[in-house]
């Protein structure tokens, strides 16, 4: 039997922090701190001490009755005093065991330990406790672990450059921040010129007042731009702290990952509980032949701030060798893919937006000619992401598709500006949806969406697949679909 870390006494005590309202109300009587009122307060200080003692005592009792038992086949956490709660997690059911070592707990040898299974609410740990390092080591002995003699030597430890590139590509708003910065810096100058043109017509006294205000317009735009850049730099810095010192080991049953500097984390992932592997790219990575490998498994990356990364950045041509033992193969041909004639189906949204921008700009200038320069600037700045998205969707057309090999399903698709290559067991494809618009019926095409097992919504869609191919895909996945159900 083990207790949680003694520091938990403070957290349990904080649940009754509302009791401090009584010492606070009593202390208000001596707000002026005159001698007589201070003496009265000091005389009754025992009451304040008693209240604080009750709070701490309640925390101690809660901590004392919070006990951890390591049984032969499970870990049990009992908590509560008046209302007793018993939570048991079988060791065989643990998908991911996580040990966190925050820098502020290191001096007192505290560790946050969590165990996740494929049951329970989405993104919530089935068991989470704060224990000492000694207790953590004892519990982790019963969790999935890598057998050193069976270690997979094909998976190499990512180097510092890999982690650096991963932080660059997956920090928030990498491209968008640069674009928004340019927008505000340039837009601020244009706004300054337009307003200056109008204010020159007013009286000299007004000009003197307004000139001071005008000087602030480009500065404000510059400040906003700096804020966006600073936000990205902060995101980049945090990612570097999270994923630096990235280390991975694996055998056929377990993957062990450790990463982080200020908050060191160690994950034990059970291979048989993984839902699918996701090879993620953006357009720049795709052109360079680089890929980031993520994995879907209950408990890994459950925190929305953490990406469930398996390999930060790796060359795509080497992925098959590194992850072949997990069913990932290189150079798999797409069995079913969209035709090149489906280009408009992939690009129609950004294409229409891109074409409509300049007529809309001309119409706006016709009614508001004094804002022609500002309107033209807005149109150009909006055209840039539209054209970029057209290029991205064109690349998606050329690379999207669905394949089957061994007992695996491989999905290649895109979402917004990201490309995904999903590898999963066919048994994990829990739902199939075939959607066809009125226009697609004419061309005998459809969109095929596959839902995979996972704690969060895992829907991946491949557009513009021939209807006959979609029926074949459904048959392979065990869904009985007749051609008579569709207009093909």
């Amino acid at each position: 039997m083990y207790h949680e870390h003694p520091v938990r006494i403070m957290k349990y005590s904080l649940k009754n922090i509302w009791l401090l309202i009584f010492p606070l109300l009593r202390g208000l009587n001596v707000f002026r701190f005159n001698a007589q009122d201070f003496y009265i307060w000091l005389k009754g200080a025992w009451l304040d001490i008693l209240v604080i003692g009750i709070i701490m005592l309640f925390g101690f009792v809660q901590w004392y009755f919070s006990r951890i038992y390591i049984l032969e086949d499970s870990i049990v956490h009992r908590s509560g005093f008046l209302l007793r709660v018993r939570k048991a997690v079988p060791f065989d059911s643990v998908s991911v065991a996580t040990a966190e070592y925050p820098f502020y707990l290191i001096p007192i040898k505290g560790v946050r330990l969590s165990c996740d299974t494929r049951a329970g609410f989405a993104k919530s740990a089935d068991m989470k406790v704060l224990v000492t390092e000694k207790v953590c080591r004892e519990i982790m002995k019963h969790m999935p672990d890598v057998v050193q003699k069976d270690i997979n030597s094909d998976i190499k430890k990512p180097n510092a450059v890999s982690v650096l590139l991963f932080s660059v590509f997956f920090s928030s708003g990498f491209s968008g921040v640069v674009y928004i910065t340019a927008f505000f810096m340039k837009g601020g100058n244009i706004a300054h010129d337009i307003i200056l043109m109008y204010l020159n017509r007013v009286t000299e006294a007004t000009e003197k007042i307004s000139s001071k205000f005008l000087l602030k317009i480009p500065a404000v735009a510059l400040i906003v731009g700096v804020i966006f850049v600073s936000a990205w730099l902060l995101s980049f810095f945090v990612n570097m702290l999270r994923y630096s010192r990235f280390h991975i080991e694996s055998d056929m049953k377990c993957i062990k990952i450790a990463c982080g500097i200020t908050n060191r984390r160690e994950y034990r992932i059970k291979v048989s509980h993984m839902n699918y592997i996701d090879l993620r790219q953006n357009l720049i990575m795709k052109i360079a032949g680089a890929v980031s490998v993520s994995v879907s498994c209950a408990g890994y990356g459950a925190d929305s701030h953490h990406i469930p990364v398996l390999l930060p950045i790796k060359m795509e041509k080497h992925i098959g060798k590194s992850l072949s033992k997990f069913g990932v193969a290189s150079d798999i041909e797409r069995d079913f893919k969209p035709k090149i004639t489906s280009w408009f189906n992939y690009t129609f949204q950004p294409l229409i937006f891109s074409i409509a921008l300049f007529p809309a700009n001309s119409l706006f200038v016709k009614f508001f000619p004094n804002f022609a320069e500002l309107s033209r600037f807005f149109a150009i700045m909006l055209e840039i992401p539209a054209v970029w998205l057209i290029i991205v969707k064109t690349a998606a057309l050329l690379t999207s598709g669905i394949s089957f090999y061994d007992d695996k399903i491989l999905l290649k698709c895109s979402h917004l500006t990201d490309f995904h290559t999903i590898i999963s067991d066919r048994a994990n494809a829990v739902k199939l949806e075939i959607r066809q618009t009125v226009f697609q019926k004419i061309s005998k095409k459809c969109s095929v969406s596959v839902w995979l097992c996972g704690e969060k919504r895992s829907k991946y869609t491949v557009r513009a697949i021939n209807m006959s191919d979609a029926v074949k895909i459904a048959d392979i996945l065990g869904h009985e679909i007749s051609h008579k159900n569709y207009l093909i």
Side-chain angles (χ1 to χ4, degrees):
M1 187 270 290
Y2 302 95
H3 285 292
E4 291 188 84
H5 196 288
V7 77
R8 288 287 289 178
I9 296 174
M10 298 301 298
K11 185 168 183 179
Y12 287 130
S13 299
L14 288 175
K15 292 181 180 179
N16 294 277
I17 196 71
W18 60 272
L19 289 173
L20 288 177
I21 192 172
F22 299 110
L24 179 63
L25 291 175
R26 212 176 62 82
L28 291 176
N29 294 328
V30 294
F31 182 76
R32 290 165 298 185
F33 287 101
N34 58 61
Q36 183 179 357
D37 288 342
F38 182 74
Y39 176 74
I40 294 173
W41 174 83
L42 193 62
K43 237 180 121 179
W46 65 270
L47 182 61
D48 299 342
I49 297 172
L50 178 63
V51 171
I52 295 172
I54 291 173
I55 294 174
M56 296 301 296
L57 179 62
F58 182 85
F60 175 81
V61 170
Q62 286 286 94
W63 170 82
Y64 182 78
F65 284 96
S66 176
R67 299 174 180 179
I68 301 166
Y69 299 88
I70 302 176
L71 306 182
E72 185 177 344
D73 59 348
S74 63
I75 176 173
V76 178
H77 180 214
R78 289 183 177 178
S79 60
F81 173 56
L82 297 177
L83 178 63
R84 302 300 301 273
V85 178
R86 182 181 185 273
K87 185 181 291 185
V89 178
F91 292 126
D92 289 340
S93 298
V94 175
S95 302
V96 176
T98 307
E100 295 182 56
Y101 301 83
F103 71 94
Y104 53 86
L105 290 180
I106 291 176
I108 58 175
K109 297 184 178 181
V111 183
R112 287 200 193 102
L113 181 68
S114 59
C115 302
D116 281 272
T117 70
R118 290 186 283 188
F121 294 101
K123 293 190 175 183
S124 61
D126 295 281
M127 182 180 292
K128 193 169 186 177
V129 291
L130 178 62
V131 295
T132 61
E133 290 182 1
K134 181 181 178 180
V135 176
C136 179
R137 284 193 299 268
E138 190 62 33
I139 295 174
M140 291 298 269
K141 289 178 182 178
H142 298 80
M143 297 299 170
D145 200 359
V146 175
V147 179
Q148 291 298 317
K149 66 177 182 178
D150 299 329
I151 198 166
N152 182 6
S153 58
D154 292 331
I155 298 182
K156 306 297 182 183
K157 176 185 173 183
N159 55 30
V161 175
S162 174
V163 175
L164 176 66
L165 291 175
F166 177 82
S167 300
V168 168
F169 286 123
F170 291 96
S171 294
S172 303
F174 172 58
S175 313
V177 166
V178 177
Y179 161 74
I180 292 173
T181 302
F183 180 92
F184 278 98
M185 287 182 175
K186 181 60 178 176
N189 291 330
I190 292 175
H192 176 278
D193 296 335
I194 292 173
I195 297 173
L196 183 61
M197 178 182 66
Y198 277 91
L199 292 184
N200 280 336
R201 301 176 184 177
V202 299
T203 62
E204 184 178 350
T206 306
E207 286 183 3
K208 290 180 181 179
I209 297 173
S210 62
S211 60
K212 296 180 180 180
F213 169 73
L214 283 171
L215 292 175
K216 296 179 182 180
I217 296 177
V220 169
L222 181 62
I223 289 171
V224 173
V226 169
I227 289 174
F228 278 102
V229 172
S230 301
W232 181 86
L233 288 174
L234 178 61
S235 176
F236 170 78
F237 178 72
V238 170
N239 278 342
M240 285 295 294
L241 291 178
R242 283 177 183 158
Y243 302 106
S244 291
R245 297 171 60 202
F246 194 96
H247 181 79
I248 179 172
E249 290 181 345
S250 75
D251 56 21
M252 292 303 295
K253 295 183 179 180
C254 177
I255 298 174
K256 184 160 66 175
I257 293 174
C259 60
I261 297 178
T262 56
N263 186 9
R264 187 72 177 168
R265 294 188 176 207
E266 179 186 319
Y267 301 93
R268 307 271 189 90
I269 304 170
K270 186 176 288 187
V271 172
S272 61
H273 285 200
M274 294 193 318
N275 301 311
Y276 57 87
I277 292 175
D278 182 5
L279 312 183
R280 300 177 58 185
Q281 296 172 297
N282 56 31
L283 186 59
I284 297 174
M285 292 172 66
K286 201 166 192 66
I287 293 171
V291 65
S292 173
V293 183
S294 300
V295 61
S296 170
C297 188
Y300 185 43
D303 184 346
S304 59
H305 300 295
H306 289 79
I307 300 172
V309 58
L310 199 63
L311 294 172
I313 295 290
K314 197 169 183 67
M315 297 307 294
E316 192 171 9
K317 61 184 179 181
H318 297 148
I319 287 296
K321 181 181 178 182
S322 299
L323 302 177
S324 59
K325 294 183 179 179
F326 300 117
V328 179
S330 298
D331 302 324
I332 296 295
E333 294 293 330
R334 292 171 292 161
D335 298 331
F336 308 100
K337 58 186 178 181
K339 302 294 184 182
I340 195 69
T341 53
S342 303
W343 182 76
F344 184 74
N345 188 278
Y346 272 75
T347 62
F348 76 95
Q349 290 177 328
L351 184 64
I352 292 174
F353 181 78
S354 175
I355 294 173
L357 268 176
F358 289 102
N361 172 62
S362 300
L363 186 64
F364 182 85
V365 170
K366 183 177 180 180
F367 289 99
F368 305 98
N370 294 323
F371 292 92
E373 185 180 359
L374 185 62
S375 178
R376 191 181 305 111
F377 170 74
F378 270 91
I380 293 172
M381 295 304 289
L382 291 173
E383 187 73 22
I384 294 172
V387 172
W388 180 259
L389 201 54
I390 291 172
I391 297 171
V392 169
K393 295 304 178 183
T394 301
L397 169 66
L398 299 175
T399 57
S400 295
I402 299 175
S403 300
F404 296 94
Y405 63 95
D406 300 332
D407 61 342
K408 304 291 183 182
I409 177 174
L410 185 145
L411 299 163
K412 290 191 173 186
C413 58
S414 69
H415 177 67
L416 299 178
T417 59
D418 292 331
F419 299 88
H420 296 269
T421 300
I422 308 296
I423 300 100
S424 173
D425 291 338
R426 297 186 198 184
N428 288 336
V430 294
K431 180 180 176 181
L432 177 72
E433 179 182 83
I434 298 175
R435 179 173 294 184
Q436 190 179 54
T437 66
V438 174
F439 299 105
Q440 286 178 324
K441 284 185 179 181
I442 299 173
S443 59
K444 298 180 181 180
K445 294 183 176 66
C446 64
S447 296
V448 177
S449 298
V450 178
W451 275 261
L452 300 170
C453 294
E455 284 191 312
K456 61 181 181 179
R457 188 168 182 260
S458 303
K459 175 187 175 183
Y460 296 94
T461 302
V462 181
R463 293 182 181 180
I465 294 289
N466 285 339
M467 179 57 75
S468 57
D469 288 343
V471 174
K472 292 177 183 177
I473 292 169
D475 290 340
I476 293 172
L477 290 176
H479 299 271
E480 296 295 333
I481 295 181
S482 172
H483 287 249
K484 295 178 181 179
N485 294 335
Y486 299 93
L487 299 175
I488 60 174

